[in-house]
Amino acid sequence: MSPLIEITDPHILDNSSILIDVRAGADAHERYLAGHLPNAVFAGLDADLASKPADAAFGGRHPLPALEDFADTLARWGVTPDSHVIVYDDKAGAMGGARLWWMLRSIGHANVQVINGGLKAAIDAGLTLANDEYQNAAVEPYPIPAAYANTVDIEEVKKAAADEGRVVIDVRESARYQGLTEPLDLVAGHIPGAVNLFYSNSLSPEGTYLTKHALATLYADTIGKVKPQDVIVHCGSGVTACHLLLGMEYAGITGPKLYVGSWSEWSRRGLPIGTGLDK
């Protein structure tokens, strides 16, 4: 199954799938109520796709929720192991849509797709939005495995960043990577040895992903001949990194890992800091 689904696909509106609208920010729920796809349940990035960090130095600003909590959340949304889940957000997948896709794939749920272009694609297509608080009937808790797959911790990132045979990709914008500005975390800069590929480079001007061929070319320029399983992707807090992982999956590059703690964890641990364009 392709990780992306086009807004013209009938499964989006025919009630055969679980449709989930993911929003981020303090006004997330208000934006959902202002307009969402019919029969889409609301998911909040902070409330549903992350746990509250006790200390961002250990896990970052958006650590993954406990598996038991995620199982309960999926049950509340009506998701079972057999469900076809369709996800979108209002930021072209970059602020929660891809994160939920990645989380479901990480626990073994293969039948999940992200709407290419997100809410904007629906608006551009002239779809009528709803303003209700939609809920599916709750189901039994989702059976969750022992761990989220395809993640790495800070110790693994230290090794990978210094290894010529591996690649660590930082998907934040260039100014943050170079240490010229840092609007969210305490210290500006990047993990020494990490390369920069801004996540939005994967998008067309319309906010949809580039073609598979264009994406494969873009990513090949970054990872070279490094095997996909030796690639680690991170961002500020493990959210927009999933946008790049989704693009890689769409382009046929499977196996890269997510560093969930990302820059928000690394920058709080007294570790070396890179600035400028060192690669």
Side-chain angles (χ1 to χ4, degrees):
M1 171 173 286
S2 170
L4 291 176
I5 185 170
E6 300 302 322
I7 194 63
T8 53
D9 193 296
H11 288 98
I12 292 175
L13 297 178
D14 68 2
N15 297 325
S16 64
S17 306
I18 302 293
L19 192 57
I20 303 177
D21 180 309
V22 185
R23 306 286 178 119
D27 63 342
H29 191 247
E30 287 77 8
R31 298 201 319 276
Y32 164 82
L33 292 176
H36 58 82
L37 288 177
N39 300 334
V41 300
F42 170 75
L45 171 64
D46 293 296
D48 299 314
L49 307 186
S51 60
K52 186 174 178 59
D55 182 351
F58 298 90
R61 287 184 279 106
H62 287 111
L64 292 169
L67 287 158
E68 295 79 6
D69 293 337
F70 188 39
D72 290 342
T73 297
L74 292 175
R76 173 165 53 85
W77 291 337
V79 177
T80 72
D82 296 324
S83 297
H84 178 200
V85 180
I86 298 176
V87 183
Y88 71 95
D89 63 26
D90 58 354
K91 301 293 182 183
M95 285 307 294
R99 166 85 165 210
L100 179 52
W101 167 85
W102 180 89
M103 289 171 63
L104 283 164
R105 290 296 303 273
S106 181
I107 64 169
H109 193 109
N111 200 8
V112 54
Q113 296 177 290
V114 177
I115 295 177
N116 194 11
L119 184 65
K120 181 180 182 298
I123 295 171
D124 290 347
L127 298 186
T128 300
L129 302 183
N131 305 103
D132 62 332
E133 182 76 58
Y134 183 79
Q135 296 286 349
N136 289 315
V139 295
E140 292 295 316
Y142 195 103
I144 297 290
Y148 291 100
N150 294 321
T151 65
V152 296
D153 61 18
I154 196 169
E155 296 302 322
E156 190 64 26
V157 175
K158 290 178 187 177
K159 297 174 185 176
D163 187 339
E164 292 281 337
R166 303 173 75 179
V167 174
V168 177
I169 302 175
D170 183 333
V171 310
R172 298 173 302 155
E173 58 266 44
S174 180
R176 292 181 70 189
Y177 172 84
Q178 293 186 60
L180 301 176
T181 184
E182 181 46 63
L184 298 172
D185 292 307
L186 304 179
V187 181
H190 62 263
I191 297 171
V195 299
N196 186 218
L197 178 58
F198 189 26
Y199 77 88
S200 70
N201 289 2
S202 300
L203 297 174
S204 71
E206 294 73 34
T208 55
Y209 275 90
L210 301 175
T211 65
K212 291 182 180 180
H213 176 74
L215 289 173
T217 300
L218 174 67
Y219 303 145
D221 288 343
T222 301
I223 66 177
K225 296 182 179 180
V226 172
K227 296 178 181 178
Q229 59 265 35
D230 291 324
V231 175
I232 295 171
V233 183
H234 79 91
C235 53
S237 64
V239 178
T240 53
C242 297
H243 187 275
L244 190 71
L245 290 167
L246 174 60
M248 287 182 162
E249 181 85 8
Y250 182 59
I253 302 170
T254 60
K257 311 296 194 300
L258 173 66
Y259 171 34
V260 180
S262 288
W263 182 247
S264 56
E265 178 180 64
W266 182 282
S267 61
R268 288 169 167 82
R269 295 286 283 271
L271 295 170
I273 302 292
T275 56
L277 296 171
D278 63 0
K279 271 202 175 185

